Amino acid sequence: MIENLEELDQIVKKCSKCNLCNGKTKTVFGVGNKNADIMFIGEGPGADEDKEGEPFVGKAGKLMNQAFIGIGITRENVYITNIVKCRPPNNRTPLKEEAKACLDYLRNQVMIIKPKIIVLLGNTALKNILGDEYGITSSRGKWIEKKEIKYMPTFHPAALLRDEGKKIDFWNDLVLIKKEADENNWKI
Ligand code: URA
Ligand code: SF4
């Protein structure tokens, strides 16, 4: 295990453990509070993230930021990252082997940050972290506790752009997260 995020970021920048390294512009390691109580995990960088090297800066990210502001979640207080750190071609879902290759980095990030809550944004995050037996439609909005971490699966913000009807569920899930954090005095 690597002990600090800067060092791990440097390793990820040079990583060639899967084919995604060939198509990327920048790796997208993660941003936010190094001691965050709440961690958000997406799928992988899109075009904007690949260009900037920062997660959730494109259209989906802007929508997520708006929801954060509305609910009272401060982007700088939480930590935001993805299952894969390099952009999949044409924004396709990462293959199982790509996610597997990259998951060690995410596990190491979790070990360093030690979040109390992990928010799983969409099926890719949910299935790669909690297992293929889970599905976002039936799991969203319900706490799943494992090894002293509370997981909250919810829709990926890009899904809200495709289907407006999902916005209310996403909002309600963020409200649950905010409430849990406030009750425990966790930074959010
Ligand atoms: N979608 C993701 O899953 N992650 C990002 O960083 C941006 C869009
Ligand atoms: Fe390495 Fe992850 Fe990039 Fe694959 S996606 S090359 S495992 S950093």
Side-chain angles (χ1 to χ4, degrees), residues 12 15-21 27 84-86 98 101-102 105:
V12 166
C15 177
S16 56
K17 281 204 288 177
C18 84
N19 280 329
L20 295 181
C21 67
T27 55
V84 291
K85 313 308 194 209
C86 301
E98 293 160 351
C102 213
Y105 300 128

Side-chain angles (χ1 to χ4, degrees), residues 8-160:
L8 190 60
D9 186 10
Q10 291 309 313
I11 294 169
V12 166
K13 280 196 169 80
K14 293 184 214 128
C15 177
S16 56
K17 281 204 288 177
C18 84
N19 280 329
L20 295 181
C21 67
N22 299 316
K24 64 151 199 307
T25 310
K26 287 186 178 172
T27 55
V28 177
F29 181 70
V31 285
N33 190 325
K34 293 176 172 63
N35 301 303
D37 291 323
I38 325 288
M39 188 162 172
F40 288 80
I41 303 177
E43 178 172 306
D48 298 298
E49 291 77 20
D50 176 69
K51 220 182 289 159
E52 296 195 28
E54 194 176 312
F56 288 101
V57 291
K59 232 176 158 192
K62 292 202 170 92
L63 184 59
M64 192 167 83
N65 286 346
Q66 280 175 356
F68 279 8
I69 292 164
I71 284 163
I73 301 174
T74 305
R75 199 170 145 116
E76 291 73 28
N77 283 350
V78 301
Y79 194 85
I80 305 171
T81 187
N82 283 307
I83 293 287
V84 291
K85 313 308 194 209
C86 301
R87 184 194 182 195
N90 305 313
N91 299 342
R92 67 157 169 76
T93 306
L95 303 175
K96 203 81 212 166
E97 68 241 39
E98 293 160 351
K100 252 195 182 147
C102 213
L103 218 49
D104 280 342
Y105 300 128
L106 184 58
R107 286 202 191 94
N108 203 332
Q109 286 173 303
V110 171
M111 282 190 263
I112 297 168
I113 297 165
K114 301 188 185 72
K116 310 285 200 298
I117 291 173
I118 294 184
V119 184
L120 302 168
L121 299 165
N123 253 325
T124 300
L126 175 62
K127 286 175 181 287
N128 283 293
I129 292 181
L130 292 184
D132 275 326
E133 65 272 31
Y134 291 91
I136 202 68
T137 310
S138 56
S139 298
R140 62 141 286 275
K142 297 176 203 151
W143 292 107
I144 299 163
E145 193 163 345
K146 283 195 178 178
K147 296 185 193 161
E148 289 170 50
I149 295 177
K150 289 181 169 159
Y151 293 89
M152 175 57 76
T154 191
F155 290 126
H156 190 289
L160 316 179

